[in-house]
Amino acid sequence: MCGKAKAGTALPTEFIHNERARVTEWRFMKRGDNTGWHRHEYDYVVIPLFDGFLEIDNGNGSITKAQMKTGVPYFRKMGVEHDVINGNDFECRFVEVEII
């Protein structure tokens, strides 16, 4: 995730970073762990590695609950600003692929 303005408590592990893509696994150990507020500078795909929910804080005072299904990816355009939060009572992970 690019443009990170405030560090969160989720643990990123970067697997690939080259001139075409950046692939990062995000690990949330417990409910409430978060990525930290950030803005995406590239289009990206997220592949959840769990069944459950992520809570998305878009900075407008409300939290959106997004359902995740193991292996079912979703795509977002660059420019998204948010903080992603573990909304589950268990550890969860996802892989993020940024298209540079």
Side-chain angles (χ1 to χ4, degrees), residues 2-15:
C2 297
K4 195 178 242 196
K6 179 182 173 192
T9 53
L11 304 172
T13 301
E14 189 173 271
F15 290 106

Side-chain angles (χ1 to χ4, degrees), residues 17-18 21 25 34-35 49 59 78 82-83 89 98-99:
H17 188 177
N18 59 35
E25 178 189 75
N34 68 314
T35 58
L49 302 175
M78 69 179 183
H82 58 200
D83 187 9
D89 290 325
E98 295 176 285
I99 305 161

Side-chain angles (χ1 to χ4, degrees), residues 1 9-10 13-17 20 22 26 28-29 38 40 47 51-52 59 61 69 83 85 90 92-93 96 99:
M1 282 177 239
T9 53
T13 301
E14 189 173 271
F15 290 106
I16 298 168
H17 188 177
R20 302 201 52 205
R22 179 172 26 210
W26 285 90
F28 302 75
M29 299 294 291
H38 60 279
H40 287 268
I47 304 109
D51 292 336
K69 178 92 174 131
D83 187 9
I85 305 156
F90 54 83
C92 65
R93 299 175 297 131
E96 176 182 81
I99 305 161

Side-chain angles (χ1 to χ4, degrees), residues 7-80:
T9 53
L11 304 172
T13 301
E14 189 173 271
F15 290 106
I16 298 168
H17 188 177
N18 59 35
E19 67 281 351
R20 302 201 52 205
R22 179 172 26 210
V23 179
T24 306
E25 178 189 75
W26 285 90
R27 183 175 179 187
F28 302 75
M29 299 294 291
K30 64 186 182 313
R31 178 182 281 277
D33 278 353
N34 68 314
T35 58
W37 187 258
H38 60 279
R39 179 180 186 278
H40 287 268
E41 295 177 345
Y42 306 106
D43 292 348
Y44 65 100
V45 174
V46 169
I47 304 109
L49 302 175
F50 70 101
D51 292 336
F53 295 92
L54 291 175
E55 296 174 350
I56 312 299
D57 180 352
N58 293 308
N60 62 5
S62 66
I63 303 288
T64 302
K65 197 171 196 178
Q67 186 169 7
M68 301 288 118
K69 178 92 174 131
T70 302
V72 178
Y74 63 88
F75 171 84
R76 296 288 183 267
K77 300 287 279 173
M78 69 179 183
V80 172

